[in-house]
Amino acid sequence: MTFLSYLVSGLSLGSIYAIIALGYTMVYGIAKMLNFAHGDVIMIGGYMSFVATAHMGWPPLASVLLAMLVCTVLGVLIEQLAYKPLRTAPSLAVLITAIGVSYFLQNAALLIWSSNPKSFTSVVLLPSLKLFDGQLTISSVALVTILACVAIIIGLTFIISKTKIGKAMRAVSEDKEAAQLMGINVNQTISVTFAIGSALAAIAGVLLCSAYPILSPTTGAMPGIKAFTAAVFGGIGSIPGAFWGGLLLGLIEIFGKAYISTQLSDAIVFSILILVLLVRPTGLMGRKISEKV
Amino acid sequence: MKMTKPGQKRLISNAITYAIVIVAYVLIQILDGSGNLTSSLRGQLVPICAYIVMAVSLNLTVGVLGELSLGHAGFMSLGAFSGVIVSLGLRDTVSAGPLRLLAALLVGAVIAGLFGFIVGVPALRLRGDYLAIVTLAFGEIIKNVINTLYVGIGPDGLRISMSDQASLGLGESGTVIMRGPMGAVGVDKLASFGAGVILVLITLAIVLNLVHSRSGRAIMAVRDNRIAAESVGISITRYKLTAFIISAALAGAAGALYALNYSTVVARKFDFNTSILVLVFVVLGGIGNIRGSIIAAAVLTVLPELLRAFNDYRMLAYAVILILVMLTSNNDRLKQLRWRIRSYFQHSSRRQEAEHE
Amino acid sequence: MNNPAKMVPVPSRAIIPERDLGVTPILEVSHLGINFGGLNAVEDFNIIVGRTEIAGLIGPNGAGKTTVFNLLTKVYQPTRGAILLDGKDTAGMSTMQINQAGIARTFQNIRLFQALSVEDNVKIGLHNQFKYSTLSGILRLPRYWDAERKAREQALELLSIFNMERMASYKAGSLPYGAQRRLEIVRALATRPSLLLLDEPAAGMNPSETEALMANIIKIRDMFQIAIMLIEHDMRLVMGICEGIAVLNYGKIIAKGTPEEIQANPAVIEAYLGQKKEA
């Protein structure tokens, strides 16, 4: 029974990582940049939902929508102001800018909400699920998280494979110049990608804070790094890769904590990441890239 | 006669770099002597030296080798804690502080270099972002593992445990050096500004001499064009590793220097944010520009102190400055302008050369 | 010796200059091939290059000429066949080892060390000629000064082949196109090859530059007594200086011979020259 409950919490944590990793991987696939500020967009999402419910008395679902809206606008704004001028700059310059944005968001949050952690009230108000005569308790947050993740991945796969904007995204990620020549609005496609990624970040932020109800300006940092490694783990740029990478990372973390060592769980996660990359240098589902001579 | 020109130019440029460090040292000594140095700034002197060494050594990986590392603080951490252990371990046998400091710096460098090798052999097969993520992961692993370490010195030598202090079984006579998440406590403050400046100068000598040598050229060849480097008979792995190990070892020495400036040291100090901070020094100072790294590390370590008046907003301002610097330094129009100015001067100097002949 | 490829007699119609006949050819390639994802990019490629021969490899775009160079230098590991360099099998060698064994090359899309000076580019080519350890370099031991002085002298001497000594301090990336191509040749020569592969050395050069290049290629061969194999589209250059020519089309050799024979070969005219005339 304990194994099952670990499995559920692993899947739930993994789902959160997966949702965040999707944002990383989409942006990487299309803009070829590591958006380091992505983790902090999660934190902003968490605060938005917190402000709406705790200060304004909004219902939970409305607070989630507000968080999504604010994060979407924020994501697009960041892209327009900070990343767009650097389209042709070396990738390291873009990375440093993203780090700057990350610092900015963290310190802005620090100014607005102070460094005191806020205790977040879960947005999922359903009672937890009791199975096997109460031997196994599954929290409703965990369940909602897993379902949300599955829904998101299905929705995203649909958008990418069936819609016009999805086609544009695939084209831009293949070859920016060629896409432009075929009449695709590259800038708009990139903006849409940031918008989707940031909206997902908001959802991840709310779910994260519902499961681990402490909110501070650095809340997004560690999950951000972990989700980023999850994206690399699965093969950055690949959407199924982000999904499986996130799930696996969550499972490894929870099982590592449960059966090996609580303190060393991060070390275990990152060691496995290194091992995977050594065996498959472009991640589990990454494409092999070869240089033309 | 004209043939010696590029060599001379380089010599002068390097001399300026060394001179900047020495002049800064002398100036600060004068300020300190006349009582014009605030105590908070005085406390920053050793950390500044450590961060300069960090930045210069990271520039070797990022600028000279051309590989992005996001875990440089991991090597600093290894150097810091092995340095602390050595300095405390030698407390009874070696009485001279500077000798213990030297031993700590050397051991810190060797241990970090060794880990540089261990991480480098597999990691350097990867490219670009994947290499970066492995270094990030490595830094996190180091932090995590050191956080769980209990180390003590008993009568029969070093004892290490990963569970708790009691399991060290030291008894009365032993000293505990590291207490898991509490870090190393009771560290002797052996580091001094003078020692820090010497370490900076040694680091400069190592990196600058390396860059202008056969191995340095091979490293830059690998950076500029891997396939061409191989095609002229250069071993990619060997030179990537050389650069990476030297970079790691110098970071280890920096860590030892840094740690021996405080009475307590925790692993959290050397986390991802520290790696990023040092990377920011390197990028703002100019990738591959050693002198720039020194200046950026010094200025940006002091800057938050100077901005103390705007306490609440200083980190926000720091972030904004960082973004603005990146945006302006990579702006195509500004770049064109700079290029035009530079090419104008180059042409005019070439013209003068031609007239000389 | 148990390499099956070696058992098969190398196709006979090898054309080696008479002066090279008595000695082991510098390059003997038999049944060389590679496929990329099922497609045979190069198939059953056979060639013999004499010790001081200037050989040409021509063919329409996409025929697989550069792939042959990449196979010879092990940028790609061949799927089939054997490459003997100076009579020794090169199976399993890496690009680096191939260079140390005696093949140097230039690239179709110039691959210089852009950010470094012209002199440093050549010195990197001299990497395995004047050796000293990393530590000697850092500590500036006498070996460092000695080797650096020699490397510098040698670099300037090599640059003087193309009258480029004056450009020694310029950044490689800032050189005009033609000079970059010449610098690549100098860098390759610095590794003291016994076989020099030139991938479109005249591309982007004007007629007078090409003229000078032709003279220089012959000069290099005479000076260093090495074999040179070149890929080139400029027929004046190929027909002017190559002693033996192989024509590649769709990854296969369709003709081999002297310039006169190639010019008269109907298959070549159809596959290559004919196509050119239409264009």
Side-chain angles (χ1 to χ4, degrees):
Chain A
M1 274 320 123
T2 46
F3 175 83
L4 276 182
S5 84
Y6 288 140
L7 184 68
V8 172
S9 27
L11 286 176
S12 147
L13 182 63
S15 298
I16 294 175
Y17 288 156
I19 299 172
I20 308 171
L22 283 171
Y24 273 115
T25 232
M26 284 171 68
V27 166
Y28 186 89
I30 285 165
K32 299 281 175 286
M33 66 160 291
L34 296 176
N35 180 15
F36 248 94
H38 193 63
D40 303 286
V41 176
I42 298 166
M43 172 268 300
I44 299 287
Y47 272 109
M48 280 305 132
S49 168
F50 170 78
V51 168
T53 49
H55 295 331
M56 303 194 287
W58 287 24
L61 201 62
S63 82
V64 177
L65 291 176
L66 175 75
M68 285 174 71
L69 183 72
V70 171
C71 286
T72 305
V73 173
L74 183 67
V76 174
L77 215 60
I78 290 172
E79 197 273 323
Q80 292 287 320
L81 293 178
Y83 304 152
K84 196 176 162 193
L86 297 176
R87 248 344 110 69
T88 55
S91 61
L92 200 56
V94 187
L95 181 74
I96 300 287
T97 310
I99 290 164
V101 173
S102 163
Y103 273 14
F104 180 84
L105 293 179
Q106 281 185 24
N107 286 291
L110 195 70
L111 278 180
I112 303 172
W113 293 294
S114 88
S115 58
N116 296 336
K118 304 272 186 281
S119 79
F120 191 93
T121 346
S122 173
V123 291
V124 184
L125 304 169
L126 306 166
S128 29
L129 203 62
K130 287 199 168 40
L131 295 173
F132 307 107
D133 299 326
Q135 281 184 44
L136 177 66
T137 314
I138 299 174
S139 79
S140 53
V141 179
L143 218 54
V144 168
T145 304
I146 296 168
L147 291 176
C149 177
V150 172
I152 286 169
I153 192 80
I154 292 172
L156 214 53
T157 311
F158 174 80
I159 292 178
I160 301 270
S161 57
K162 297 277 188 258
T163 64
K164 201 175 162 197
I165 184 72
K167 235 178 247 172
M169 284 166 145
R170 279 183 289 150
V172 174
S173 86
E174 265 322 305
D175 188 333
K176 236 180 262 179
E177 281 77 35
Q180 191 129 35
L181 290 174
M182 300 309 288
I184 291 169
N185 187 337
V186 172
N187 282 329
Q188 192 193 328
T189 311
I190 294 178
S191 288
V192 171
T193 310
F194 268 88
I196 297 177
S198 306
L200 292 182
I203 298 175
V206 174
L207 291 170
L208 179 75
C209 294
S210 297
Y212 305 89
I214 295 161
L215 182 55
S216 78
T218 53
T219 290
M222 201 58 192
I225 293 177
K226 293 252 183 77
F228 172 41
T229 58
V232 176
F233 193 55
I236 195 146
S238 150
I239 287 186
F243 177 70
W244 292 113
L247 282 192
L248 274 175
L249 205 73
L251 286 171
I252 293 168
E253 184 172 336
I254 296 291
F255 281 115
K257 258 186 193 145
Y259 294 114
I260 305 175
S261 159
T262 321
Q263 295 151 327
L264 286 178
S265 71
D266 284 357
I268 294 165
V269 168
F270 288 116
S271 303
I272 290 178
L273 170 84
I274 293 180
L275 287 179
V276 167
L277 284 185
L278 295 184
V279 183
R280 292 195 53 102
T282 51
L284 291 173
M285 300 187 174
R287 271 193 288 184
K288 225 183 137 191
I289 23 168
S290 55
E291 202 170 344
K292 193 164 159 47
V293 182
Chain B
M1 199 183 77
K2 194 152 283 138
M3 293 303 165
T4 52
K5 226 181 147 197
Q8 271 175 3
K9 219 192 251 173
R10 203 163 67 198
L11 222 61
I12 293 168
S13 164
N14 288 355
I16 292 174
T17 311
Y18 291 114
I20 287 175
V21 175
I22 294 168
V23 167
Y25 174 71
V26 172
L27 276 180
I28 288 171
Q29 288 298 10
I30 292 170
L31 277 178
D32 196 21
S34 59
N36 280 321
L37 210 60
T38 63
S39 66
S40 77
L41 207 58
R42 194 182 300 129
Q44 290 280 328
L45 292 177
V46 172
I48 287 174
C49 293
Y51 281 127
I52 289 176
V53 175
M54 284 297 286
V56 171
S57 60
L58 182 63
N59 210 338
L60 182 57
T61 301
V62 177
V64 182
L65 175 62
E67 297 287 359
L68 178 58
S69 165
L70 297 176
H72 208 50
F75 297 115
M76 191 186 193
S77 188
L78 283 167
F81 288 98
S82 46
V84 165
I85 292 172
V86 167
S87 75
L88 290 179
L90 291 176
R91 183 140 62 177
D92 298 330
T93 44
V94 181
S95 55
L99 271 184
R100 273 160 65 206
L101 177 67
L102 181 67
L105 292 176
L106 283 177
V107 173
V110 169
I111 298 278
L114 190 70
F115 273 81
F117 176 75
I118 295 170
V119 180
V121 168
L124 290 170
R125 286 175 40 215
L126 303 168
R127 292 203 208 140
D129 301 330
Y130 288 93
L131 175 73
I133 201 75
V134 166
T135 54
L136 184 160
F138 160 75
E140 291 299 312
I141 293 171
I142 291 294
K143 182 185 75 177
N144 201 219
V145 170
I146 289 181
N147 248 331
T148 64
L149 280 187
Y150 292 83
V151 178
I153 298 180
D156 51 346
L158 212 60
R159 295 220 180 155
I160 301 172
S161 156
M162 287 184 81
S163 45
D164 55 34
Q165 200 173 319
S167 62
L168 288 175
L170 286 175
E172 301 279 301
S173 56
T175 17
V176 183
I177 300 176
M178 287 166 64
R179 300 166 200 251
M182 309 273 291
V185 284
V187 181
D188 290 331
K189 295 191 199 176
L190 298 172
S192 64
F193 182 43
V197 170
I198 292 171
L199 181 63
V200 169
L201 290 174
I202 291 173
T203 303
L204 278 180
I206 290 175
V207 173
L208 291 175
N209 285 357
L210 174 71
V211 168
H212 303 299
S213 76
R214 171 177 172 264
S215 301
R217 283 192 299 264
I219 293 166
M220 291 185 286
V222 172
R223 171 197 68 191
D224 276 9
N225 205 311
R226 197 179 52 83
I227 288 169
E230 261 180 309
S231 85
V232 294
I234 287 172
S235 161
I236 307 291
T237 324
R238 180 177 167 177
Y239 287 100
K240 273 188 171 181
L241 262 182
T242 303
F244 201 64
I245 291 172
I246 293 174
S247 169
L250 290 172
L257 177 80
Y258 185 91
L260 293 174
N261 187 47
Y262 298 97
S263 52
T264 22
V265 194
V266 289
R268 276 196 312 281
K269 191 74 201 94
F270 312 104
D271 62 358
F272 177 64
N273 285 323
T274 307
S275 294
I276 292 298
L277 189 71
V278 177
L279 183 63
V280 168
F281 297 160
V282 171
V283 174
L284 291 189
I287 291 168
N289 181 345
I290 303 295
R291 197 190 304 158
S293 286
I294 298 175
I295 295 169
V299 170
L300 292 179
T301 313
V302 180
L303 190 68
E305 290 297 316
L306 296 182
L307 290 174
R308 212 163 256 279
F310 318 90
N311 208 0
D312 290 342
Y313 295 93
R314 63 180 181 163
M315 286 314 286
L316 201 64
Y318 190 91
V320 172
I321 291 171
L322 192 59
I323 297 169
L324 288 180
V325 168
M326 288 330 288
L327 289 183
T328 47
S329 65
N330 287 288
N331 188 299
D332 281 340
R333 230 177 291 166
L334 284 176
K335 234 194 259 177
Q336 259 171 18
L337 192 72
R338 219 167 38 195
W339 185 81
R340 225 177 292 160
I341 294 170
R342 197 185 303 157
S343 62
Y344 172 78
F345 280 114
Q346 261 171 10
H347 281 301
S348 62
S349 74
R350 264 183 216 173
R351 227 175 294 143
Q352 280 167 6
E353 252 175 55
E355 279 160 16
H356 263 298
E357 280 170 23
Chain C
M1 282 299 123
N2 50 11
N3 188 338
K6 274 182 89 175
M7 310 289 283
V8 184
V10 170
S12 55
R13 286 198 56 220
I15 23 113
I16 293 184
E18 268 173 41
R19 61 175 187 281
D20 293 337
L21 275 177
V23 284
T24 327
I26 195 64
L27 187 71
E28 294 167 84
V29 179
S30 47
H31 306 293
L32 187 69
I34 187 170
N35 47 15
F36 297 121
L39 177 85
N40 284 326
V42 170
E43 208 182 333
D44 201 24
F45 181 86
N46 303 287
I47 203 167
I48 294 183
V49 178
R51 197 148 276 265
T52 58
E53 182 181 346
I54 297 180
L57 183 58
I58 63 172
N61 284 322
K65 305 182 295 293
T66 297
T67 307
V68 169
F69 273 17
N70 285 338
L71 288 170
L72 293 179
T73 54
K74 303 294 168 100
V75 172
Y76 302 144
Q77 289 294 337
T79 336
R80 295 172 299 277
I83 302 166
L84 303 189
L85 179 64
D86 199 7
K88 289 184 274 290
D89 196 351
T90 64
M93 284 190 181
S94 68
T95 304
M96 176 190 86
Q97 288 166 328
I98 284 288
N99 176 261
Q100 290 173 354
I103 303 183
R105 71 177 288 187
T106 65
F107 298 87
Q108 189 181 341
N109 45 343
I110 303 174
R111 285 178 175 268
L112 284 172
F113 307 119
Q114 301 267 345
L116 304 180
S117 72
V118 168
E119 185 185 325
D120 279 349
N121 268 270
V122 185
K123 279 183 178 167
I124 289 167
L126 291 166
H127 184 79
N128 289 318
Q129 314 303 326
F130 302 102
K131 291 190 179 183
Y132 59 88
S133 69
T134 305
L135 198 66
S136 317
I138 289 176
L139 298 178
R140 294 283 195 254
L141 299 181
R143 294 205 55 171
Y144 162 85
W145 298 106
D146 187 45
E148 282 293 305
R149 186 177 46 78
K150 284 185 187 148
R152 184 180 160 72
E153 283 166 9
Q154 179 83 73
L156 293 175
E157 201 182 312
L158 285 166
L159 282 169
S160 72
I161 297 174
F162 288 113
N163 288 321
M164 288 174 76
E165 322 89 283
R166 284 190 56 250
M167 300 179 183
S169 65
Y170 295 177
K171 226 184 188 185
S174 72
L175 293 183
Y177 197 76
Q180 293 200 12
R181 287 220 174 272
R182 288 190 283 270
L183 176 56
E184 251 202 335
I185 298 176
V186 174
R187 183 182 68 186
L189 277 175
T191 67
R192 290 205 197 144
S194 41
L195 171 64
L196 177 63
L197 306 179
L198 303 177
D199 199 342
E200 298 196 18
M205 285 189 181
N206 61 35
S208 71
E209 278 182 310
T210 308
E211 201 73 42
L213 178 71
M214 286 165 69
N216 276 320
I217 290 175
I218 292 170
K219 180 170 135 193
I220 288 167
R221 193 267 315 270
D222 293 344
M223 258 175 94
F224 297 94
Q225 286 294 305
I226 58 174
I228 297 173
M229 186 168 168
L230 53 91
I231 294 173
E232 188 48 66
H233 284 294
D234 188 324
M235 283 304 133
R236 232 160 31 89
L237 185 147
V238 176
M239 298 303 167
I241 63 173
C242 291
E243 293 155 287
I245 297 171
V247 187
L248 207 61
N249 199 16
Y250 295 113
K252 283 186 194 159
I253 289 190
I254 56 167
K256 268 198 272 190
T258 60
E260 296 75 32
E261 286 167 350
I262 294 296
Q263 275 166 321
N265 189 316
V268 178
I269 294 168
E270 193 195 318
Y272 188 79
L273 300 170
Q275 192 192 46
K276 259 249 144 111
K277 269 172 203 157
E278 275 169 41

